[in-house]
Amino acid sequence: MSSLTQPTGREPEFRAPVGADGSRPRVLVLGGTGYIGGRLVPRLLAAGYRVRVLVRDAARVSAFPWSAECEIVEGAAQDAAAAADATADVDILYYLIHSMGAGGRFETADEQAAQTVADAARDAGVSRIVYLGGLHPDGAKLSPHLRSRVHVGEVFLGSGVPTLVLQAGVVIGSGSASFEMIRHLTEVLPYMPAPKWVRNRIQPIAVRDVLHYLLGAAKVAPDVNRAVDIGGPDVLRYGQMMNGYAVEADLPQRGIAALPVLTPELASHWVNLVTPVPRAIARPLVASLQNECMMKDHAIDELIAAPADGLTPYRRAVRLALGRVDADSVETSWQDAEVHGAPSDPLPSDPDWAGRTVFTDSRSVETTASAAELWSVIVGIGGENGWYSSPLLWAARGWMDRLIGGVGLRRGRRSRTRAAVGDAIDFWRVEALEVPDEGLLVRDGQDGLLGRDGRDGRDGLLGRDGRDGLLRLRAEMKVPGEAWLEMRAIADGSRSRYAQRAVFFPRGLTGRLYWLAVLPFHGFIFKGMAARIVAAAEAQRSE
């Protein structure tokens, strides 16, 4: 955690208080694997708090470098038993979850989860709840997602547990969905017909300032029970934010025409096609921009002092975010958020004996490259590095997925060179990752993925002989069935072997017809992919 940017949590004002018996407060974080939560947890640890996280899948937490320092409770926020276990002996609770799904019942689900957690916190004697809500104008008609966030805040404020609701607007930081939407709209379109909300005034806030207030919230007076607005120093129109990005990215100023005919629904489709942000996430983001969102007052200053060097101006926040992207050091990203409705069951250990129809495509190529050289290509696949096969066919599949509401290829990946269980890679999700051991791989100072003993330092995954590398990806594109793609780097003396397997469990007749339809393309895609991955690994040896 030495690479944490400001605030680090080690600042004197954020240090955890020490009790008379030498103990420090226990903090429970819900949403610890999300964009904000994944950054808050290591800073709470650096501040000296004992941290517990409640997550649906403990394996997802193991991908984070701080997981070994946390207590993990597995379960859902809606589960009263899990919430009771998680809140036991907790002093401070951070609630950083909210639904981004498009289903019609998400408001009810959000309310039920918040009420379940609020009841558990009250029964457990939690002394403080901190909730990150949404900045909104009073008396205006709000979008369903923003309305839900406001209501969740009200649930906590009425829970009987002192609660501080921090209401933030557009968050600017490397990996944030709002930043990526601005970034790609500006970079792709030199002239943009846009919805009329590009003229609305917005008060963005840098992610580092959000973290500043979240850390400070742990030490506010015990009787505080209120909602307060937080925002950066600049109030801008959305169009100004796009052109502010253009300046920092050394791009020409963009012409923007506000059109009254682009409804939020149409605008979300437009964002889905032009940017990597899928429609399921673009819809609530776009809807939240329908109102002017500015701080109503600065009551936050009475509770938490602003950063010593002041709040971060918008253009500096953009500059910092671009720097993290260029350095391939994005801490957390919207890309790794769970996809609503995507399959989540793991690949059966032996698909051929799973009792279901299964189709496979297997390839194997011998190579003079080492397993480590093969692995460096495998672990960096996707995103900017591509898929080592027909770019046109992969792009066409990505566009097809986008058109029917999927995430598509342009979701990309958080890091160009590193991967971890739970990471998104284009329209795949990392389900398993096993690092080869050749004495060539050393521990990575940022995420600890590479270890000399073939372990990744958290989940103890090993190849079959302690030397093989494995990357298993679970498909999150929209297909009539369940699909996985495995890539292995297998050591064999002074040589190695690349093994690749695509596995598809069809759903009904549609799934079977889908497999037959794409079968002719497998020779172009999978055969070419295997050959080019091996060639890329061998090229490293010749350099």
Side-chain angles (χ1 to χ4, degrees):
M1 293 189 299
S2 59
S3 62
L4 294 178
T5 58
Q6 292 182 339
T8 65
R10 302 182 186 92
E11 294 82 359
E13 64 268 29
F14 299 139
R15 296 293 298 174
V18 181
D21 60 353
S23 66
R24 296 180 183 271
R26 174 175 280 112
V27 174
L28 170 64
V29 179
L30 286 84
T33 60
Y35 176 70
I36 296 293
R39 300 187 183 211
L40 177 63
V41 168
R43 289 165 173 81
L44 289 170
L45 290 167
Y49 290 97
R50 295 177 292 162
V51 178
R52 177 185 296 163
V53 293
L54 174 65
V55 293
R56 292 179 180 271
D57 182 5
R60 177 71 180 92
V61 182
S62 69
F64 288 83
W66 41 259
S67 61
E69 301 177 57
C70 291
E71 181 184 353
I72 301 170
V73 176
E74 195 169 45
Q78 298 93 331
D79 184 341
D85 289 343
T87 54
D89 195 29
V90 163
D91 300 291
I92 304 163
L93 186 154
Y94 283 90
Y95 194 89
L96 304 174
I97 60 177
H98 65 276
S99 173
M100 292 292 278
R105 300 184 60 189
F106 76 88
E107 288 187 81
T108 301
D110 279 352
E111 179 182 5
Q112 290 174 345
Q115 192 64 62
T116 299
V117 172
D119 292 344
R122 183 189 61 245
D123 295 343
V126 172
S127 59
R128 162 71 54 208
I129 293 175
V130 181
Y131 172 59
L132 183 62
L135 189 64
H136 63 281
D138 290 335
K141 182 180 179 180
L142 303 178
S143 70
H145 283 85
L146 189 51
R147 183 175 65 230
S148 178
R149 298 184 74 174
V150 172
H151 184 56
V152 167
E154 293 170 346
V155 168
F156 287 127
L157 290 169
S159 67
V161 179
T163 295
L164 180 62
V165 177
L166 299 172
Q167 300 178 148
V170 173
V171 176
I172 302 298
S174 58
S176 81
S178 297
F179 172 73
E180 290 300 317
M181 194 166 87
I182 293 169
R183 174 187 175 194
H184 287 274
L185 283 173
T186 308
E187 290 184 350
V188 171
L189 301 171
Y191 181 84
M192 189 179 87
K196 60 183 179 181
W197 47 254
V198 295
R199 295 175 176 168
N200 287 349
R201 291 176 297 169
I202 301 167
Q203 193 162 1
I205 183 169
V207 65
R208 58 173 49 201
D209 293 336
V210 174
L211 293 168
H212 171 90
Y213 286 122
L214 286 170
L215 289 166
K219 300 179 75 172
V220 299
D223 60 339
V224 171
N225 188 64
R226 63 184 300 187
V228 291
D229 295 342
I230 59 174
D234 299 319
V235 175
L236 304 166
R237 300 186 190 278
Y238 198 83
Q240 291 176 311
M241 291 171 62
M242 292 178 62
N243 276 317
Y245 173 89
V247 171
E248 294 301 328
D250 293 325
L251 297 171
Q253 294 286 285
R254 282 5 194 177
I256 301 171
L259 303 178
V261 296
L262 281 178
T263 66
E265 185 66 21
L266 288 174
S268 67
H269 282 283
W270 175 243
V271 171
N272 173 65
L273 291 174
V274 175
T275 81
V277 181
R279 192 161 65 235
I281 295 178
R283 184 183 291 108
L285 288 178
V286 168
S288 69
L289 298 171
Q290 301 308 302
N291 305 110
E292 293 198 330
C293 290
M294 300 168 290
M295 294 175 65
K296 294 179 284 293
D297 55 47
H298 288 268
I300 183 63
D301 296 338
E302 304 169 10
L303 306 176
I304 304 171
D309 55 353
L311 293 166
T312 310
Y314 170 72
R315 281 180 51 184
R316 180 165 185 261
V318 169
R319 191 158 58 248
L320 290 168
L322 286 173
R324 298 287 280 184
V325 171
D326 291 342
D328 194 22
S329 59
V330 177
E331 221 177 313
T332 58
S333 173
W334 71 271
Q335 296 162 313
D336 298 325
E338 293 182 359
V339 176
H340 180 74
S344 58
D345 291 335
L347 176 68
S349 57
D350 190 346
D352 292 329
W353 291 94
R356 299 162 56 187
T357 299
V358 59
F359 298 117
T360 61
D361 181 291
S362 298
R363 311 277 172 171
S364 181
V365 182
E366 300 288 337
T367 175
T368 57
S370 67
E373 289 163 337
L374 264 179
W375 178 251
S376 67
V377 178
I378 292 170
V379 80
I381 199 164
E384 296 178 12
N385 299 324
W387 288 90
Y388 299 93
S389 186
S390 170
L392 180 61
L393 291 176
W394 279 100
R397 185 63 184 88
W399 274 106
M400 287 170 57
D401 194 53
R402 298 286 285 186
L403 288 171
I404 59 177
V407 293
L409 276 180
R410 287 189 300 163
R411 181 169 59 167
R413 49 183 294 158
R414 178 169 54 92
S415 169
R416 294 186 291 271
T417 58
R418 297 180 301 275
V421 173
D423 279 4
I425 299 180
D426 293 330
F427 45 37
W428 305 89
R429 176 82 55 179
V430 178
E431 182 176 280
L433 182 142
E434 306 174 14
V435 180
D437 172 29
E438 290 196 15
L440 298 176
L441 302 181
V442 297
R443 180 170 293 280
D444 184 286
Q446 181 172 355
D447 56 20
L449 284 175
L450 308 180
R452 290 185 181 276
D453 61 355
R455 293 179 178 268
D456 71 355
R458 290 176 301 281
D459 56 20
L461 289 171
L462 285 169
R464 289 167 296 177
D465 61 358
R467 296 172 62 86
D468 300 352
L470 165 69
L471 178 66
R472 180 185 300 138
L473 305 176
R474 183 180 67 245
E476 290 188 335
M477 78 280 280
K478 292 185 177 295
V479 292
E482 300 167 88
W484 288 264
L485 178 62
E486 287 186 339
M487 291 163 279
R488 286 185 180 270
I490 302 171
D492 183 13
S494 61
R495 300 169 63 86
S496 63
R497 179 166 57 89
Y498 172 71
Q500 176 181 292
R501 181 174 65 155
V503 180
F504 181 65
F505 286 91
R507 184 171 57 246
L509 177 61
T510 304
R512 289 163 173 79
L513 293 176
Y514 170 82
W515 179 263
L516 292 174
V518 299
L519 193 58
F521 299 102
H522 286 181
F524 297 103
I525 296 175
F526 292 131
K527 182 179 179 180
M529 181 177 171
R532 289 185 179 90
I533 285 176
V534 167
E538 292 175 348
Q540 292 184 19
R541 169 155 292 190
S542 62
E543 290 178 355

